[in-house]
Amino acid sequence: MSVSVFSRVLFFVFDFLMPLGGVVGHFADPQTILSGFTSKAPLTPPAIETQVLLDGMAGWYAGLMAMHLYLQFSSRAKHDRSIWNLVMVNLILVDLGMLVGFTRALLAEGRLYEVNTWRSQDYANIVGYTVIALVRLSFVLSGSSSSSSHNKKTA
């Protein structure tokens, strides 16, 4: 089964354009990135370990962008659903890790169950990563059901 143009465009936004903002933000404006993670004022400049994590995340985003370019433009991977599914399953795990991190931050600040204290960044983080993870999961499940029915037809 091939990867639809809609899916390729949607994941281009999720896995290239959005991470591009992450690379730039993590290197050029770490204070803005950090303020999205906590309601507490981040240290200026960031602590050494925080800077290491920011740089590592920027590297992760850059790697995600490179991987996505391969998916989009490689003659082999462009339409290979199994490669896309493998990448999406791995990214679902990353999305879930980010959700755990945001949840733990809200819990540590005593705001997890006080939704009225959530900032727009908190909603964007929780809702955004949840929606993206669900879209990825839907993509993987829709391909696996099609491929299993395809396998039954060819057997």
Side-chain angles (χ1 to χ4, degrees), residues 48-115:
I48 295 168
E49 65 274 11
T50 303
Q51 190 61 57
V52 169
L53 292 171
L54 286 168
D55 292 348
M57 283 187 74
W60 156 249
Y61 285 134
L64 175 58
M65 292 168 58
M67 183 172 49
H68 190 76
L69 288 176
Y70 174 77
L71 286 176
Q72 287 287 350
F73 299 111
S74 163
S75 59
R76 177 170 180 236
K78 188 176 191 176
H79 299 290
D80 187 336
R81 185 65 184 242
S82 63
I83 293 173
W84 281 75
N85 283 350
L86 176 65
V87 169
M88 291 304 137
V89 166
N90 282 281
L91 292 175
I92 289 168
L93 295 175
V94 173
D95 294 340
L96 292 175
M98 293 300 292
L99 282 167
V100 168
F102 295 131
T103 302
R104 288 176 61 174
L106 288 168
L107 185 62
E109 293 178 352
R111 300 185 308 118
L112 181 61
Y113 303 109
E114 303 295 328
V115 179

Side-chain angles (χ1 to χ4, degrees), residues 25 31 79 149:
Q31 293 308 116
H79 299 290
S149 66

